[in-house]
Amino acid sequence: MAVEGPGSTSNADGYFKEIYADNLENLVPEHSVFGQDIAFREKEKLGDSYHMPVRVRRGHGVTFAGPSSSMGAFTLNAARSGKMLDARVEGSTFVGREDISYKAVMSADSKRAFGNLFDDTVKDLMASTAFYRELCLLYGGGDIGVLGTEVDAADTDTEQQWDLTAASSCLGIFAQMEGALIDIYSAAGAKRNAAGTFELTGASIPDGSSQVRLTIKASDASELNNCAATDVVLPAGAKGEWFTGLETILKNDATLFNIDASVYSLWKANTHAVGGALTMDHVQKAAEKIVPRAGLGDLSCYVSVPTWRKLNSDIVGMRQFTEGGGVAELGAKEIRYHGPGGTIAIKSHPMLKAGLAMMGDPKGNARRVGASDITFELDGVPGAPPKFLRQLANKAGYEIRIAYDQALVIPRPAGWTVLTGITN
């Protein structure tokens, strides 16, 4: 499959359309839990924002009449109408890029060679985009980790190590971000790397520890030396630009999306402080807070990998073995529990912070809205050939781009509970 020349992308477009067009969903990795559980509603927006009417109060214009008074034309109490407000949610755009040289493209003189060249690149770009989308769905508007202790306080080099707090630790986030640029902000909002860059060069959990250890390389050692405990970590350039994620929505107690949760309590999610290991009793208590405010229904409870391990080892089902072909199987992929309002499905999320869990209905009480889900159709024209290869203006090569534009909407925050203070 020879490429017609450095300026041609027609063969690349044809290969892309043939191989990937109907299989992009298969390229999304398993860590994209919310990306798969929460449906995307394409172009469900008005102008540059999505508008959603929200009933924040019921009507209470009611009158009671006993046996004697109901025989006459009794007086009705005044109407006390319910209240509807307009939630306004703005989407954010993400663009991923990857470069390929002219020589690599011209050397691919057959369909198989051309495919080998692009397969890994396209799959990795898709996986990276799904990863950052999942970060937004979880933590947009907040942070992905909190600095706890510097490993060597006397170290003033351009590369230093910090342990995150146990509650904010999640190796599933930072193991996938090695080589990425990050930003660090003080608790007051001051950017530590205001002039230079911070690169994440390593992430691990030392033996005997429950805290993620980050290795950070700075272009300016003095900026890294200014970092302190309680500083927060974000993807580079994300602050104020990524869409609001689930943790931020569920912890909100002020104005969000044009509605004040301190005035209208149904716009505020439930909270449950665990203060130790997460048990099934805590799961039940978290569900109990949802039922009176949002009604009956099945729920999903998302927990971290360490929390899942603890719960999985505690359930009675661990005593049951399934044997087939001489192999004994022990454990469970998903824990289902009958709660006060319906079935509670407990799911492990590899990108959830260790001290956090979130419970709600991701199918009936969450949605993703915006101009587009993950796509290589950068022209935005339905049915148009995928122009996924673009020539670089000042370099000898091509660029592959991928993008999405969306936001997360929780129509009824009172139907969710955020569980905090979990220790494993």
Side-chain angles (χ1 to χ4, degrees), residues 28-41:
V28 178
E30 290 186 0
H31 63 242
S32 186
V33 177
F34 281 135
Q36 297 180 29
D37 284 0
I38 301 176
F40 178 77
R41 303 191 183 188

Side-chain angles (χ1 to χ4, degrees), residues 11-21 24 114 122 376 386 388:
N11 287 335
D13 290 342
Y15 181 85
F16 181 85
K17 190 171 184 179
E18 176 184 347
I19 302 300
Y20 301 116
L24 289 181
F114 193 84
V122 171
F376 287 96
F388 84 120

